[in-house]
Amino acid sequence: MTALLEINDLCFAYPDTPGGPDRGILTGLTLQIQAGERVGLIGPNGAGKTTLFLVTCGILPPSRGQIRFRGRELTKNSFIPEIALVLQKPDDQLFCPSVWEDVAFGPQNLGLSAQDVASRVNEALQSVGAAALAQRPIHHLSEGEKRIVAIAGALAMHPALVIYDEPSTGLDIRSRRRLISLLQQNRKQKTSLIASHDLELILEVCDRVLLLGQGRIVADGQPAVIMADEPLMQAHGQEKPHSLIPHRNQHHSPRRQRNK
Amino acid sequence: MHIADGILSLPVVAGGFAASFTITWYCLKRIKDAGDPRERIPRAALLTAAFFVASLIHVPLPPASVHLVLNGLIGILLGAFAFPAILVGLFFQAVMFGHGGLSTLGVNSLILGIPALLVGWLFHLNRRPDESFPRTIGRGLLAGSGAVFGATMLFIGALLVGFQIEHQQEITATAIITILAVAYLPLIVLEGVITALLVGFLQRVKPTILQWK
Amino acid sequence: MEIKKTSLLQRWDPRCKLVALGALILAFAMVNDLRLVPLILVVPLLLMVVSGLTPAFILRRLRYPSLLLLFLLIGLPLAVGEEILLTVGPLLIRREGLEAAVLIGGRFLGIFLSALILLNTSPLTANIKAMRALGLPWILTDMALLVLRYLRVIGHDYRQMRIAMRIRGFKGNRLRLRYLQIVAWLTGSLLVRSYERSDWIYRAMRLRGYGHNDGPVSDFKAVRLDFMLLGVSLFWSLLIVSL
C-alpha cells in the first residue's frame, strides 16, 4: 500500500542562506504518513516545522528531494485541495467579513455550485460545533472561536490530510479541551499532522510522534516512548512532559491514569 | 501615476515642493487644532503602512495588470492626515523601490494628495454614522473613481506644463493626453468598484474606522 | 551586506548629506543644456566610487524603470523634431527628440543615482532623524519612523494571508467581480488589523512616556570633514546652475 504522504530527502533553504542548500532549514528530511494516522511533530522554535508544512502544501518549492501525495509527485506551485493547512495565527486565514463567508471561500474556489458550497459550509461548521457562529462577524470572535472557525475553513475543503501548525497557542483551558476532542474525532477519514509545543496535547491526541532537529527527523515512534526519553528530548531543546514523570503523589484523575 | 526624476522642468519641480509644503503645513495645523495629535499619529502611521502594502497588490486588468492607488480611501480614512500620509508613503516608495522620484516628490504628492483630501471631505459631507448601506457604498464608488480621476487630470496637467521640448508640437501633446486618458479610464472604474467594496467591508466589520479622522 | 566597512559617505553626517543632496537635485533639475549632462553624470560616478556600494546593488535598483520614462526615451527621438539624423528601417531618428531624450535620461540618472547612493549609505532611520534635526515637523518624522517600523510587520501579515488563500485554492488571475471582492476583503482586513494594532502601539508608547517631553535632542555631530564635503557639493551645484 502506498503511503498517503511520502517525503524523500527533502532539502529547503531560503534564498539568502549562506552556504547553500545543505545549510538550509530542512536538510534531507524523509518521512511517510499512512492514511488514518495522527502524527505529532515536535521540535524547538526555528527547527523548520512551518517551513516543512509550506513545502508540503506546494507554497515553497523544495531545493532538493520529492514529495509524493497518494503516490503522485508534487510539482512547484501545485494546488492539492486534499491537503489542508491550518496556520498558526487564525487571523492570517480569516479575512472575510463573516464566518460563513470565510468557510465558503475554499469550496467556492473549487468551483462548486452554490448549493454544494452551502452544504459543505454547514457540514464543516457543524463538525466543529460552530454552527451557531455562522453569521457572526469574524472580527468579534474570541481567540478560541477564531481557531475553531479556521479549522472549519480547512475541513470544508474535504481534505484527506489536515496539517495543524501550533493549534493550541493562545487558547484558554476550555477552548484547548474543545480543540483536543475535535482533533480526536473522525479518525477514520482524516489523517492529521499536528505541530505543537504543547506536548501534553500531542500525547493525548497522536498515536505517533516525530522529533525534528537540525532539519531532519531525529526520532519517530510512539509518543509515550519518545517523549519519555529524557536525554533525547533535552538534546533537542524539549522537556519530558509532566505526565510522563513518575509521581510520588497520584494527583492525576483516575480516568487519565487508566488511559496511560 | 508617478512621475520619475528628470522629466519635469525646474519651475514645476520647485512649484510642486512649495505647494506640497503649504498643504502639508495646513494639514498639520488642522491636525494640531483638533487636539493632541499624539494619539492619532500611530493610527495614521499604521494605516499608511497598510495602504503602502496594499498598493503592492496586483489586480489583473487585461491586457496588463495594475497596482491599486486607493488615494480615495486614504482620504476617507485619514482626513487631514491623508496628505502627510501620502507624502511619507511616496518618500518610501521612491527610496525603497525607486518608484517616482525624490525631485518629483512634491509634484507626485500633489497629484495623489489633493484629490484624496477633496474626496475625503466630500465623503464625510452630511454623512450620518447610521447612513444606509447602499448610500455608503455609493459614496465609496464616487470617492474611489473621483480620486483617481482627479489624480489622472493632475498627472496629465503636470506633464503638459512641466514637460517642455523646444519644438513642442500640438500633436505630441494631444497624443499623450489621448493615450493616458484611454489607459487610465479602466483604472478609474476599477478603483471606484474596489473602493466601494472596501467601504462596504469596513462599514460591516468596523464602522468606527469610517468615522475616525 | 551591501556596503564595505566604513566608506567616506557612511561617515558623512546625514544632515549635511541631505542638504547636499537637495542642492544637487535642484541643480540637476535645472539643467536644460545638453553640454551640461556630463557634469551631472560625473557626480553619481564619483559617489559610486567612494560609496563602497557594489555596482550590482545599484544595477538591481535600476531594473524597474518608470514606464513613462521609457515611453519618453524611446518615443521622443522617433516623434519630435524636424532634422533627421538617421534612418533605421522604417524608423526616423530625429535630432531634437534625441537631444530631449538624452537630457531627460541624463537628469534622471543624475538625480536617481545620487539619491540612491547618498540615502543608502546611512540607515533610513538616521536619515529621517536627520530630517527632523533639519526642521521637518515632528508629526511627519514620527509618522515616517512608525511607518518604517511596521511596514515589515504588515507586509508579513499580508504574505501570510495570501498563503492561507492559496492553500484554499485561490488563484487571482482573472478580472471578475468575485476577485475584486476578495481583494477588497483582503485589503480591508489588513486595514482593520492595522487600525486595531495601532491602539495597542499607542498604549504601549504612552506607558513608556511618549508625549511627556519632546524626545531626545539629536545626537548628530558634524566635524570639519562633513562641512568640507557639503561645501564641495554646494560648489558643484552652483557651478552647474551658473553655466
Side-chain angles (χ1 to χ4, degrees), chain A residues 36-187:
Chain A
E37 274 189 303
R38 264 198 303 246
V39 184
L41 182 67
I42 57 176
N45 283 334
K49 299 184 292 282
T50 304
T51 307
L52 170 64
F53 294 163
L54 292 179
V55 176
T56 309
C57 291
I59 298 285
L60 295 174
S63 357
R64 204 174 70 203
Q66 310 97 37
I67 301 170
R68 285 172 207 279
F69 185 76
R70 288 188 164 144
R72 186 161 49 94
E73 185 166 345
L74 303 190
T75 49
K76 195 187 165 197
N77 277 337
S78 48
F79 163 56
I80 324 104
E82 293 105 321
I83 303 182
L85 170 60
V86 181
L87 297 183
Q88 196 169 345
K89 293 186 188 149
D91 269 329
D92 289 337
Q93 183 188 316
L94 308 173
F95 72 100
C96 297
S98 74
V99 169
W100 204 93
E101 280 159 318
D102 202 276
V103 179
F105 174 75
Q108 279 166 351
N109 288 330
L110 298 178
L112 301 175
S113 70
Q115 214 178 357
D116 289 347
V117 170
S119 75
R120 277 202 187 195
V121 173
N122 294 332
E123 172 205 42
L125 283 173
Q126 246 150 34
S127 73
V128 299
L133 298 178
Q135 294 312 319
R136 290 268 296 279
I138 294 267
H139 210 65
H140 296 163
L141 301 182
S142 71
E143 198 61 25
E145 288 168 333
K146 278 184 187 169
R147 185 85 52 170
I148 295 292
V149 170
I151 293 175
L155 295 182
M157 304 288 286
H158 283 183
L161 170 67
V162 190
I163 304 176
Y164 300 88
D165 195 354
E166 298 288 351
S168 66
T169 35
L171 296 190
D172 64 14
I173 306 286
R174 192 187 299 175
S175 310
R176 178 174 170 277
R177 185 48 51 196
R178 194 168 157 198
L179 174 81
I180 289 175
S181 51
L182 184 63
L183 292 175
Q184 286 170 329
Q185 273 174 25
N186 47 30
R187 87 173 303 153

Side-chain angles (χ1 to χ4, degrees), chain B residues 9-30:
Chain B
S9 63
L10 182 75
V12 179
V13 168
F17 273 116
S20 79
F21 277 138
T22 315
I23 295 182
T24 308
W25 173 81
Y26 174 73
C27 287
L28 294 183
K29 189 178 165 307
R30 289 250 330 257

Side-chain angles (χ1 to χ4, degrees), chain B residues 6 10 43 95-96 206, chain C residues 30 61 107 196 198-199 211:
Chain B
L10 182 75
R43 235 171 225 195
V95 174
M96 294 164 77
K206 186 102 189 156
Chain C
M30 208 179 266
R61 297 294 295 273
R107 287 195 304 223
E196 293 188 333
S198 75
D199 283 345

Side-chain angles (χ1 to χ4, degrees), chain C residues 42-59:
Chain C
V42 83
V43 173
L45 273 177
L46 205 68
L47 288 175
M48 212 183 304
V49 174
V50 294
S51 69
L53 292 171
T54 58
F57 169 74
I58 291 165
L59 285 178

Side-chain angles (χ1 to χ4, degrees), chain C residues 14-205:
Chain C
R15 291 170 303 169
C16 296
K17 218 193 287 192
L18 287 175
V19 174
L21 178 63
L24 287 170
I25 285 181
L26 281 182
F28 292 169
M30 208 179 266
V31 168
N32 252 328
D33 186 340
L34 208 54
R35 286 166 300 176
L36 293 181
V37 170
L39 282 186
I40 295 183
L41 292 181
V42 83
V43 173
L45 273 177
L46 205 68
L47 288 175
M48 212 183 304
V49 174
V50 294
S51 69
L53 292 171
T54 58
F57 169 74
I58 291 165
L59 285 178
R60 205 162 58 222
R61 297 294 295 273
L62 271 174
R63 216 169 32 182
Y64 306 103
S66 140
L67 267 183
L68 178 70
L69 191 74
L70 271 187
F71 173 76
L72 287 176
L73 291 185
I74 296 169
L76 280 175
L78 299 175
V80 175
E82 275 134 39
E83 192 181 323
I84 288 157
L85 275 184
L86 205 70
T87 323
V88 188
L91 302 176
L92 303 171
I93 310 278
R94 298 159 200 267
R95 191 178 63 83
E96 292 85 343
L98 188 64
E99 283 178 1
V102 170
L103 199 58
I104 288 176
R107 287 195 304 223
F108 166 76
L109 284 177
I111 299 174
F112 183 83
L113 291 178
S114 306
L116 178 71
I117 295 167
L118 286 178
L119 291 177
N120 273 290
T121 43
S122 329
L124 204 41
T125 43
N127 285 326
I128 295 170
K129 284 177 188 156
M131 289 179 198
R132 168 87 190 92
L134 287 171
L136 205 71
W138 64 269
I139 296 188
L140 279 184
T141 49
D142 275 16
M143 261 180 84
L145 288 171
L146 279 170
V147 169
L148 192 61
R149 166 66 183 81
Y150 285 98
L151 211 48
R152 274 161 205 271
V153 177
I154 296 172
H156 178 81
D157 283 0
Y158 169 68
R159 281 190 298 279
Q160 291 296 113
M161 289 167 91
R162 284 308 283 240
I163 286 177
M165 288 165 77
R166 251 179 76 186
I167 291 168
R168 292 198 282 163
F170 181 67
K171 286 191 291 285
N173 48 14
R174 257 185 292 165
L175 184 69
R176 289 209 228 112
L177 190 62
R178 173 168 147 77
Y179 176 76
L180 293 183
Q181 184 171 56
I182 300 287
V183 167
W185 285 355
L186 176 68
T187 315
S189 304
L190 220 50
L191 288 170
V192 170
R193 282 167 69 178
S194 309
Y195 179 86
E196 293 188 333
R197 200 194 297 255
S198 75
D199 283 345
W200 289 104
I201 291 167
Y202 175 67
R203 285 171 200 149
M205 287 165 79

